C-alpha cells in the first residue's frame, strides 16, 4: 500500500507573548552528557563598585566621586538565556549563520542577493 504524502508543508510562525529580544556579547558552553550542544548566551559589563564616596569641602560642595580601586578589572558575564540543540540542528544553524554572514558581506560590497530568500535575511533553515 503506497502512502500519499502532501506536495508541500507550510510552517506558520507564532511568537510566544513572553518572547524577549536579547543582545549577546558572547556564548559559553559545550557538549552535555546527552551529546547535545549546550550554550549560554551572555552580556558583559564592568562590575559596579560596592560603594562610592564624595568629600564635602568647607563650602558644602561635593568633591569628585571616589570608589574603591584594585589592580584587577572585574567584568561580569550575565547569562540571559540557555539553548540546547542536537547535532543536526547545530549543523543547520552553522549553515544558516554562514548564509546570513555572506548576505551581510555582499551588502557591504554593494552586491544584491539572488534567489527567493527574504532580503531581510529571515529565512528558515
Amino acid at each position: 500500500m503506497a502512502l500519499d504524502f502532501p506536495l508541500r508543508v507550510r510552517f506558520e510562525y507564532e511568537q510566544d507573548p513572553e518572547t524577549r529580544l536579547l543582545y549577546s556579547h558572547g556564548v559559553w558552553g559545550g557538549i552535555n552528557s546527552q551529546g547535545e550542544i549546550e550554550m549560554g548566551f551572555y552580556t558583559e559589563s564592568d562590575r559596579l563598585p560596592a560603594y562610592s564616596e564624595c568629600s564635602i569641602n568647607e563650602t558644602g560642595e561635593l568633591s569628585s566621586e571616589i570608589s574603591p580601586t584594585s589592580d584587577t578589572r572585574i567584568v561580569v558575564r550575565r547569562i540571559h538565556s540557555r539553548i540546547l540543540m542536537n547535532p543536526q540542528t547545530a549543523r543547520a544553524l552553522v549553515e544558516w549563520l554562514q548564509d546570513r554572514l555572506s548576505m551581510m558581506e555582499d551588502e557591504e560590497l554593494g552586491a544584491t542577493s539572488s534567489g527567493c530568500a527574504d532580503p531581510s535575511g529571515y529565512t528558515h533553515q
Side-chain angles (χ1 to χ4, degrees):
M1 175 169 128
L3 296 176
D4 291 329
F5 292 105
L7 297 177
R8 54 185 178 172
V9 174
R10 176 185 300 206
F11 296 97
E12 294 188 359
Y13 299 91
E14 291 182 6
Q15 190 161 304
D16 188 298
E18 295 181 27
T19 299
R20 298 181 303 156
L21 176 62
L22 302 170
Y23 185 84
S24 181
H25 288 121
V27 62
W28 185 91
I31 300 171
N32 69 15
S33 62
Q34 301 298 313
E36 299 166 319
I37 295 174
E38 184 171 348
M39 299 175 288
F41 290 89
Y42 61 82
T43 55
E44 291 181 335
S45 61
D46 290 330
R47 177 173 297 281
L48 293 172
Y51 64 90
S52 64
E53 297 177 338
C54 293
S55 298
I56 301 172
N57 66 18
E58 43 296 326
T59 64
E61 295 174 332
L62 295 177
S63 67
S64 58
E65 191 172 0
I66 304 166
S67 63
T69 60
S70 84
D71 295 337
T72 304
R73 179 179 179 184
I74 299 173
V75 176
V76 175
R77 287 184 170 173
R78 183 171 308 280
I79 295 174
H80 55 70
S81 55
R82 293 176 61 208
I83 306 290
L84 290 173
M85 66 178 63
N86 62 41
Q88 295 80 10
T89 302
R91 285 185 195 94
L93 176 62
V94 167
E95 184 178 319
W96 185 86
L97 284 169
Q98 287 173 333
D99 288 347
R100 300 297 82 71
L101 288 169
S102 292
M103 290 173 71
M104 290 173 70
E105 290 165 357
D106 289 348
E107 189 173 296
E108 288 172 2
L109 296 172
T112 59
S113 62
S114 61
C116 63
D118 181 338
S120 67
Y122 290 100
T123 57
H124 173 73
Q125 191 54 257

